[in-house]
């Protein structure tokens, strides 16, 4: 089991964002967004480099295909965010609360997500490498068809997870409590789980493998 490599975020001196709305293919460099409300705005294809987003609102925002590089997001809130096909590299997220977020086809590399809650995250066909979920709650995340490599779940609640057709390599699930798999238990090859988790997952594994358990 190879451990995930953490992000390397070294923010320079930041300039305050001037309040202008997002724009498609916008370029945001070394900016601090403090309390910004981006509800319903379109920033598809935008690039955020060396940025800090703090207590921002992302309800129904479109950032499809955006790139978030060497940046920090703190206490960000959003429902119905479109973050499909985004690229996240060397990013830290702390205390975020997202609901119904679309992250399918996204690429996450050297990303640390600490605290907060993500409900119904759609990560279908996403690629995660060197990603750590720490002390957060993930409700019904969909990793179907995704590729996870060197991904760790530490002190997390992971419920209703879908690993259908996913590929796992060096994925550490031992810190997930509870760990409740709705689909794709047969895709756990390449993951590490604890003994107690194995006992809890026994009925799910038996069902996936077509094993009938009788007294």
């Amino acid at each position: 089991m190879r451990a995930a490599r953490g992000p390397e975020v070294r923010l320079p001196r930041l300039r305050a964002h001037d309040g202008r709305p997002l724009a498609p293919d916008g370029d945001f460099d070394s900016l601090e967004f403090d309390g910004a409300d981006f509800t319903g705005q379109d920033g598809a294809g935008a690039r955020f480099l060396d940025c800090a987003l703090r207590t921002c609102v992302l309800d129904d925002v479109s950032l499809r295909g955006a790139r978030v590089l060497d940046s920090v997001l703190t206490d960000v809130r959003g429902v119905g965010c479109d973050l499909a096909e985004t690229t996240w590299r060397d990013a830290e997220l702390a205390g975020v609360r997202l609901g119904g977020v679309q992250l399918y086809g996204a690429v996450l590399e050297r990303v640390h997500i600490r605290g907060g809650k993500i409900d119904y995250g759609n990560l279908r066909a996403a690629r995660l490498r060197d990603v750590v979920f720490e002390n957060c709650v993930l409700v019904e995340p969909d990793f179907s068809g995704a590729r996870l490599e060197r991904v760790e779940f530490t002190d997390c609640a992971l419920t209703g997870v879908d690993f259908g057709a996913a590929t796992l390599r060096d994925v550490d699930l031992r810190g997930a409590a509870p760990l409740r798999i709705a689909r794709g238990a047969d895709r756990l090859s390449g993951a590490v789980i604890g003994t107690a988790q194995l006992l809890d997952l026994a009925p799910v594994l038996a069902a996936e493998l077509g094993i009938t358990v009788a007294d």
Side-chain angles (χ1 to χ4, degrees):
M1 173 61 61
R2 295 178 296 166
R5 295 181 295 169
E8 300 176 0
V9 182
R10 298 181 179 87
L11 291 178
R13 178 173 293 182
L14 303 179
R15 296 173 287 112
H17 178 240
D18 59 11
R20 285 183 292 180
L22 299 176
D25 300 316
D27 198 355
F28 304 98
D29 192 346
S30 302
L31 293 177
E32 181 172 22
F33 301 83
D34 193 353
D37 188 344
F38 296 124
T39 298
Q41 295 185 21
D42 184 1
R47 185 190 71 149
F48 297 86
L49 175 63
D50 291 325
C51 289
L53 285 76
R54 311 186 198 280
T55 63
C56 295
V57 179
L58 303 179
D59 291 346
D60 297 314
V61 72
S62 175
L63 288 169
R64 182 184 292 258
R67 291 171 291 164
V68 182
L69 314 171
D70 298 288
S71 295
V72 174
L73 284 74
T74 306
D75 296 326
V76 169
R77 304 287 187 269
V79 175
C81 314
D82 185 357
L83 304 178
E85 300 174 352
T86 49
T87 297
W88 302 72
R89 184 173 296 116
D90 288 316
E92 296 179 356
L93 291 75
V96 300
R97 296 184 67 89
L98 302 173
V101 58
Q102 300 297 318
L103 278 161
Y104 58 84
V107 177
L108 288 74
E109 185 170 355
R110 296 190 301 275
V111 175
H112 193 147
I113 302 172
R114 182 176 64 254
K117 185 180 182 184
I118 301 176
D119 294 313
Y120 314 111
N122 180 356
L123 290 114
R124 295 179 183 176
R127 290 181 290 161
L128 291 76
R129 176 183 290 179
D130 294 310
V131 176
V132 176
F133 295 91
E134 179 185 357
N135 194 30
C136 55
V137 177
L138 304 176
V139 177
E140 297 189 24
D142 188 350
F143 291 105
S144 57
R147 297 177 59 185
L148 289 74
E149 181 176 356
R150 295 194 298 271
V151 176
E152 300 175 10
F153 297 87
T154 305
D155 296 327
C156 289
L158 192 58
T159 60
V161 60
D162 186 346
F163 284 129
T167 301
L168 279 60
R169 182 177 180 185
D170 294 321
V171 174
D172 194 342
L173 291 164
R174 290 173 293 179
L179 172 60
R180 296 173 184 157
I181 298 177
R183 178 170 171 264
D186 60 327
R187 307 297 297 185
L188 290 179
S189 175
V192 174
I193 62 175
T195 303
Q197 291 172 317
L198 176 60
L199 296 176
D200 290 339
L201 289 174
V204 178
L205 290 170
E208 290 278 1
L209 295 174
I211 299 173
T212 300
V213 180
D215 294 331

PDB file of all heavy atoms in Angstrom, residues 1-27:
ATOM      1  N   MET A   1       0.845  -1.195   0.000  1.00  0.00           N
ATOM      2  CA  MET A   1       0.000   0.000   0.000  1.00  0.00           C
ATOM      3  C   MET A   1       0.880   1.245   0.000  1.00  0.00           C
ATOM      4  O   MET A   1       1.644   1.480   0.923  1.00  0.00           O
ATOM      5  CB  MET A   1      -0.901  -0.003   1.241  1.00  0.00           C
ATOM      6  CG  MET A   1      -1.713   1.260   1.444  1.00  0.00           C
ATOM      7  SD  MET A   1      -2.865   1.606   0.097  1.00  0.00           S
ATOM      8  CE  MET A   1      -3.919   0.164   0.161  1.00  0.00           C
ATOM      9  N   ARG A   2       0.786   2.022  -1.064  1.00  0.00           N
ATOM     10  CA  ARG A   2       1.537   3.264  -1.162  1.00  0.00           C
ATOM     11  C   ARG A   2       0.674   4.413  -0.671  1.00  0.00           C
ATOM     12  O   ARG A   2      -0.487   4.544  -1.051  1.00  0.00           O
ATOM     13  CB  ARG A   2       1.967   3.515  -2.603  1.00  0.00           C
ATOM     14  CG  ARG A   2       2.956   2.486  -3.157  1.00  0.00           C
ATOM     15  CD  ARG A   2       3.279   2.788  -4.613  1.00  0.00           C
ATOM     16  NE  ARG A   2       2.098   2.647  -5.454  1.00  0.00           N
ATOM     17  CZ  ARG A   2       2.018   3.097  -6.702  1.00  0.00           C
ATOM     18  NH1 ARG A   2       3.052   3.714  -7.242  1.00  0.00           N
ATOM     19  NH2 ARG A   2       0.911   2.927  -7.409  1.00  0.00           N
ATOM     20  N   ALA A   3       1.257   5.238   0.185  1.00  0.00           N
ATOM     21  CA  ALA A   3       0.511   6.359   0.749  1.00  0.00           C
ATOM     22  C   ALA A   3       0.327   7.464  -0.284  1.00  0.00           C
ATOM     23  O   ALA A   3       1.146   7.644  -1.195  1.00  0.00           O
ATOM     24  CB  ALA A   3       1.243   6.906   1.975  1.00  0.00           C
ATOM     25  N   ALA A   4      -0.753   8.220  -0.132  1.00  0.00           N
ATOM     26  CA  ALA A   4      -1.012   9.346  -1.023  1.00  0.00           C
ATOM     27  C   ALA A   4      -0.030  10.473  -0.754  1.00  0.00           C
ATOM     28  O   ALA A   4       0.330  10.746   0.395  1.00  0.00           O
ATOM     29  CB  ALA A   4      -2.445   9.844  -0.827  1.00  0.00           C
ATOM     30  N   ARG A   5       0.401  11.108  -1.807  1.00  0.00           N
ATOM     31  CA  ARG A   5       1.255  12.286  -1.684  1.00  0.00           C
ATOM     32  C   ARG A   5       0.377  13.515  -1.505  1.00  0.00           C
ATOM     33  O   ARG A   5      -0.598  13.705  -2.224  1.00  0.00           O
ATOM     34  CB  ARG A   5       2.136  12.454  -2.921  1.00  0.00           C
ATOM     35  CG  ARG A   5       3.157  11.331  -3.110  1.00  0.00           C
ATOM     36  CD  ARG A   5       3.996  11.588  -4.350  1.00  0.00           C
ATOM     37  NE  ARG A   5       3.175  11.527  -5.562  1.00  0.00           N
ATOM     38  CZ  ARG A   5       3.596  11.906  -6.763  1.00  0.00           C
ATOM     39  NH1 ARG A   5       4.809  12.416  -6.906  1.00  0.00           N
ATOM     40  NH2 ARG A   5       2.801  11.803  -7.809  1.00  0.00           N
ATOM     41  N   GLY A   6       0.735  14.348  -0.543  1.00  0.00           N
ATOM     42  CA  GLY A   6      -0.071  15.526  -0.262  1.00  0.00           C
ATOM     43  C   GLY A   6       0.156  16.649  -1.253  1.00  0.00           C
ATOM     44  O   GLY A   6       1.151  16.669  -1.982  1.00  0.00           O
ATOM     45  N   PRO A   7      -0.765  17.605  -1.300  1.00  0.00           N
ATOM     46  CA  PRO A   7      -0.600  18.751  -2.190  1.00  0.00           C
ATOM     47  C   PRO A   7       0.534  19.652  -1.728  1.00  0.00           C
ATOM     48  O   PRO A   7       0.877  19.694  -0.548  1.00  0.00           O
ATOM     49  CB  PRO A   7      -1.952  19.474  -2.090  1.00  0.00           C
ATOM     50  CG  PRO A   7      -2.493  19.072  -0.754  1.00  0.00           C
ATOM     51  CD  PRO A   7      -2.007  17.669  -0.521  1.00  0.00           C
ATOM     52  N   GLU A   8       1.082  20.360  -2.658  1.00  0.00           N
ATOM     53  CA  GLU A   8       2.140  21.321  -2.363  1.00  0.00           C
ATOM     54  C   GLU A   8       1.625  22.710  -2.711  1.00  0.00           C
ATOM     55  O   GLU A   8       1.811  23.214  -3.817  1.00  0.00           O
ATOM     56  CB  GLU A   8       3.403  20.976  -3.163  1.00  0.00           C
ATOM     57  CG  GLU A   8       3.959  19.586  -2.848  1.00  0.00           C
ATOM     58  CD  GLU A   8       5.148  19.212  -3.715  1.00  0.00           C
ATOM     59  OE1 GLU A   8       5.543  20.057  -4.563  1.00  0.00           O
ATOM     60  OE2 GLU A   8       5.665  18.099  -3.570  1.00  0.00           O
ATOM     61  N   VAL A   9       0.938  23.332  -1.761  1.00  0.00           N
ATOM     62  CA  VAL A   9       0.327  24.643  -1.978  1.00  0.00           C
ATOM     63  C   VAL A   9       1.130  25.697  -1.236  1.00  0.00           C
ATOM     64  O   VAL A   9       1.246  25.665  -0.020  1.00  0.00           O
ATOM     65  CB  VAL A   9      -1.142  24.662  -1.501  1.00  0.00           C
ATOM     66  CG1 VAL A   9      -1.770  26.023  -1.783  1.00  0.00           C
ATOM     67  CG2 VAL A   9      -1.939  23.553  -2.170  1.00  0.00           C
ATOM     68  N   ARG A  10       1.676  26.633  -1.985  1.00  0.00           N
ATOM     69  CA  ARG A  10       2.421  27.758  -1.411  1.00  0.00           C
ATOM     70  C   ARG A  10       1.872  29.027  -2.036  1.00  0.00           C
ATOM     71  O   ARG A  10       2.355  29.489  -3.080  1.00  0.00           O
ATOM     72  CB  ARG A  10       3.923  27.607  -1.678  1.00  0.00           C
ATOM     73  CG  ARG A  10       4.550  26.365  -1.044  1.00  0.00           C
ATOM     74  CD  ARG A  10       6.046  26.304  -1.334  1.00  0.00           C
ATOM     75  NE  ARG A  10       6.672  25.148  -0.734  1.00  0.00           N
ATOM     76  CZ  ARG A  10       6.743  23.952  -1.305  1.00  0.00           C
ATOM     77  NH1 ARG A  10       6.234  23.778  -2.516  1.00  0.00           N
ATOM     78  NH2 ARG A  10       7.329  22.931  -0.698  1.00  0.00           N
ATOM     79  N   LEU A  11       0.861  29.589  -1.403  1.00  0.00           N
ATOM     80  CA  LEU A  11       0.211  30.753  -1.974  1.00  0.00           C
ATOM     81  C   LEU A  11       1.120  31.985  -1.897  1.00  0.00           C
ATOM     82  O   LEU A  11       1.742  32.251  -0.858  1.00  0.00           O
ATOM     83  CB  LEU A  11      -1.093  31.052  -1.232  1.00  0.00           C
ATOM     84  CG  LEU A  11      -2.227  30.033  -1.420  1.00  0.00           C
ATOM     85  CD1 LEU A  11      -3.429  30.444  -0.594  1.00  0.00           C
ATOM     86  CD2 LEU A  11      -2.611  29.906  -2.888  1.00  0.00           C
ATOM     87  N   PRO A  12       1.182  32.756  -2.965  1.00  0.00           N
ATOM     88  CA  PRO A  12       1.919  34.026  -2.921  1.00  0.00           C
ATOM     89  C   PRO A  12       1.071  35.094  -2.242  1.00  0.00           C
ATOM     90  O   PRO A  12      -0.026  34.805  -1.742  1.00  0.00           O
ATOM     91  CB  PRO A  12       2.111  34.342  -4.415  1.00  0.00           C
ATOM     92  CG  PRO A  12       0.885  33.751  -5.051  1.00  0.00           C
ATOM     93  CD  PRO A  12       0.570  32.497  -4.276  1.00  0.00           C
ATOM     94  N   ARG A  13       1.528  36.302  -2.214  1.00  0.00           N
ATOM     95  CA  ARG A  13       0.705  37.404  -1.701  1.00  0.00           C
ATOM     96  C   ARG A  13      -0.482  37.578  -2.645  1.00  0.00           C
ATOM     97  O   ARG A  13      -0.320  37.725  -3.854  1.00  0.00           O
ATOM     98  CB  ARG A  13       1.510  38.694  -1.630  1.00  0.00           C
ATOM     99  CG  ARG A  13       0.696  39.889  -1.137  1.00  0.00           C
ATOM    100  CD  ARG A  13       1.566  41.098  -0.916  1.00  0.00           C
ATOM    101  NE  ARG A  13       2.494  40.893   0.182  1.00  0.00           N
ATOM    102  CZ  ARG A  13       3.343  41.825   0.598  1.00  0.00           C
ATOM    103  NH1 ARG A  13       3.412  43.003  -0.008  1.00  0.00           N
ATOM    104  NH2 ARG A  13       4.143  41.569   1.614  1.00  0.00           N
ATOM    105  N   LEU A  14      -1.674  37.555  -2.079  1.00  0.00           N
ATOM    106  CA  LEU A  14      -2.887  37.573  -2.893  1.00  0.00           C
ATOM    107  C   LEU A  14      -3.482  38.967  -2.995  1.00  0.00           C
ATOM    108  O   LEU A  14      -3.384  39.778  -2.074  1.00  0.00           O
ATOM    109  CB  LEU A  14      -3.926  36.618  -2.295  1.00  0.00           C
ATOM    110  CG  LEU A  14      -3.494  35.151  -2.134  1.00  0.00           C
ATOM    111  CD1 LEU A  14      -4.609  34.343  -1.504  1.00  0.00           C
ATOM    112  CD2 LEU A  14      -3.082  34.544  -3.469  1.00  0.00           C
ATOM    113  N   ARG A  15      -4.119  39.217  -4.133  1.00  0.00           N
ATOM    114  CA  ARG A  15      -4.870  40.442  -4.346  1.00  0.00           C
ATOM    115  C   ARG A  15      -6.358  40.161  -4.136  1.00  0.00           C
ATOM    116  O   ARG A  15      -6.846  39.091  -4.509  1.00  0.00           O
ATOM    117  CB  ARG A  15      -4.646  40.977  -5.763  1.00  0.00           C
ATOM    118  CG  ARG A  15      -3.214  41.387  -6.053  1.00  0.00           C
ATOM    119  CD  ARG A  15      -3.019  41.751  -7.528  1.00  0.00           C
ATOM    120  NE  ARG A  15      -3.027  40.566  -8.379  1.00  0.00           N
ATOM    121  CZ  ARG A  15      -3.963  40.288  -9.252  1.00  0.00           C
ATOM    122  NH1 ARG A  15      -5.012  41.100  -9.383  1.00  0.00           N
ATOM    123  NH2 ARG A  15      -3.904  39.188 -10.003  1.00  0.00           N
ATOM    124  N   ALA A  16      -7.084  41.097  -3.565  1.00  0.00           N
ATOM    125  CA  ALA A  16      -8.516  40.906  -3.337  1.00  0.00           C
ATOM    126  C   ALA A  16      -9.265  40.936  -4.662  1.00  0.00           C
ATOM    127  O   ALA A  16      -8.994  41.780  -5.529  1.00  0.00           O
ATOM    128  CB  ALA A  16      -9.052  41.992  -2.407  1.00  0.00           C
ATOM    129  N   HIS A  17     -10.178  40.016  -4.809  1.00  0.00           N
ATOM    130  CA  HIS A  17     -11.017  39.987  -6.007  1.00  0.00           C
ATOM    131  C   HIS A  17     -11.870  41.243  -6.063  1.00  0.00           C
ATOM    132  O   HIS A  17     -12.407  41.694  -5.053  1.00  0.00           O
ATOM    133  CB  HIS A  17     -11.906  38.740  -5.974  1.00  0.00           C
ATOM    134  CG  HIS A  17     -12.840  38.632  -7.122  1.00  0.00           C
ATOM    135  ND1 HIS A  17     -14.215  38.581  -6.949  1.00  0.00           N
ATOM    136  CD2 HIS A  17     -12.614  38.589  -8.462  1.00  0.00           C
ATOM    137  CE1 HIS A  17     -14.785  38.488  -8.131  1.00  0.00           C
ATOM    138  NE2 HIS A  17     -13.847  38.495  -9.068  1.00  0.00           N
ATOM    139  N   ASP A  18     -12.011  41.820  -7.249  1.00  0.00           N
ATOM    140  CA  ASP A  18     -12.710  43.095  -7.383  1.00  0.00           C
ATOM    141  C   ASP A  18     -14.225  42.965  -7.474  1.00  0.00           C
ATOM    142  O   ASP A  18     -14.923  43.968  -7.680  1.00  0.00           O
ATOM    143  CB  ASP A  18     -12.190  43.860  -8.607  1.00  0.00           C
ATOM    144  CG  ASP A  18     -12.359  43.078  -9.909  1.00  0.00           C
ATOM    145  OD1 ASP A  18     -13.069  42.045  -9.889  1.00  0.00           O
ATOM    146  OD2 ASP A  18     -11.777  43.499 -10.931  1.00  0.00           O
ATOM    147  N   GLY A  19     -14.750  41.749  -7.337  1.00  0.00           N
ATOM    148  CA  GLY A  19     -16.201  41.571  -7.324  1.00  0.00           C
ATOM    149  C   GLY A  19     -16.826  41.307  -8.669  1.00  0.00           C
ATOM    150  O   GLY A  19     -18.044  41.091  -8.752  1.00  0.00           O
ATOM    151  N   ARG A  20     -16.034  41.320  -9.720  1.00  0.00           N
ATOM    152  CA  ARG A  20     -16.606  41.035 -11.025  1.00  0.00           C
ATOM    153  C   ARG A  20     -17.093  39.587 -11.087  1.00  0.00           C
ATOM    154  O   ARG A  20     -16.497  38.698 -10.490  1.00  0.00           O
ATOM    155  CB  ARG A  20     -15.573  41.283 -12.121  1.00  0.00           C
ATOM    156  CG  ARG A  20     -15.329  42.759 -12.403  1.00  0.00           C
ATOM    157  CD  ARG A  20     -14.342  42.945 -13.547  1.00  0.00           C
ATOM    158  NE  ARG A  20     -13.002  42.491 -13.164  1.00  0.00           N
ATOM    159  CZ  ARG A  20     -11.949  42.539 -13.977  1.00  0.00           C
ATOM    160  NH1 ARG A  20     -12.091  42.972 -15.221  1.00  0.00           N
ATOM    161  NH2 ARG A  20     -10.763  42.132 -13.562  1.00  0.00           N
ATOM    162  N   PRO A  21     -18.167  39.315 -11.848  1.00  0.00           N
ATOM    163  CA  PRO A  21     -18.680  37.942 -11.933  1.00  0.00           C
ATOM    164  C   PRO A  21     -17.729  37.045 -12.711  1.00  0.00           C
ATOM    165  O   PRO A  21     -16.831  37.508 -13.422  1.00  0.00           O
ATOM    166  CB  PRO A  21     -20.008  38.111 -12.666  1.00  0.00           C
ATOM    167  CG  PRO A  21     -19.842  39.364 -13.474  1.00  0.00           C
ATOM    168  CD  PRO A  21     -18.972  40.267 -12.640  1.00  0.00           C
ATOM    169  N   LEU A  22     -17.960  35.753 -12.580  1.00  0.00           N
ATOM    170  CA  LEU A  22     -17.194  34.794 -13.357  1.00  0.00           C
ATOM    171  C   LEU A  22     -17.526  34.942 -14.838  1.00  0.00           C
ATOM    172  O   LEU A  22     -18.596  35.436 -15.203  1.00  0.00           O
ATOM    173  CB  LEU A  22     -17.519  33.370 -12.898  1.00  0.00           C
ATOM    174  CG  LEU A  22     -17.224  33.012 -11.447  1.00  0.00           C
ATOM    175  CD1 LEU A  22     -17.705  31.589 -11.151  1.00  0.00           C
ATOM    176  CD2 LEU A  22     -15.741  33.147 -11.153  1.00  0.00           C
ATOM    177  N   ALA A  23     -16.603  34.488 -15.667  1.00  0.00           N
ATOM    178  CA  ALA A  23     -16.820  34.525 -17.105  1.00  0.00           C
ATOM    179  C   ALA A  23     -16.228  33.268 -17.714  1.00  0.00           C
ATOM    180  O   ALA A  23     -15.217  32.749 -17.237  1.00  0.00           O
ATOM    181  CB  ALA A  23     -16.175  35.770 -17.720  1.00  0.00           C
ATOM    182  N   PRO A  24     -16.845  32.738 -18.767  1.00  0.00           N
ATOM    183  CA  PRO A  24     -16.280  31.552 -19.419  1.00  0.00           C
ATOM    184  C   PRO A  24     -14.844  31.801 -19.862  1.00  0.00           C
ATOM    185  O   PRO A  24     -14.509  32.877 -20.372  1.00  0.00           O
ATOM    186  CB  PRO A  24     -17.210  31.349 -20.629  1.00  0.00           C
ATOM    187  CG  PRO A  24     -18.499  31.980 -20.219  1.00  0.00           C
ATOM    188  CD  PRO A  24     -18.122  33.162 -19.384  1.00  0.00           C
ATOM    189  N   ASP A  25     -13.998  30.804 -19.607  1.00  0.00           N
ATOM    190  CA  ASP A  25     -12.574  30.877 -19.959  1.00  0.00           C
ATOM    191  C   ASP A  25     -11.849  32.018 -19.264  1.00  0.00           C
ATOM    192  O   ASP A  25     -10.809  32.491 -19.740  1.00  0.00           O
ATOM    193  CB  ASP A  25     -12.392  30.999 -21.480  1.00  0.00           C
ATOM    194  CG  ASP A  25     -12.985  29.813 -22.235  1.00  0.00           C
ATOM    195  OD1 ASP A  25     -12.771  28.674 -21.788  1.00  0.00           O
ATOM    196  OD2 ASP A  25     -13.669  30.030 -23.250  1.00  0.00           O
ATOM    197  N   GLY A  26     -12.368  32.456 -18.135  1.00  0.00           N
ATOM    198  CA  GLY A  26     -11.706  33.507 -17.379  1.00  0.00           C
ATOM    199  C   GLY A  26     -10.397  33.029 -16.778  1.00  0.00           C
ATOM    200  O   GLY A  26     -10.195  31.831 -16.555  1.00  0.00           O
ATOM    201  N   ASP A  27      -9.507  33.961 -16.505  1.00  0.00           N
ATOM    202  CA  ASP A  27      -8.186  33.649 -15.961  1.00  0.00           C
ATOM    203  C   ASP A  27      -8.024  34.377 -14.638  1.00  0.00           C
ATOM    204  O   ASP A  27      -7.984  35.613 -14.609  1.00  0.00           O
ATOM    205  CB  ASP A  27      -7.104  34.086 -16.958  1.00  0.00           C
ATOM    206  CG  ASP A  27      -5.771  33.411 -16.683  1.00  0.00           C
ATOM    207  OD1 ASP A  27      -5.669  32.687 -15.675  1.00  0.00           O
ATOM    208  OD2 ASP A  27      -4.825  33.625 -17.459  1.00  0.00           O
TER     209      ASP A  27
END
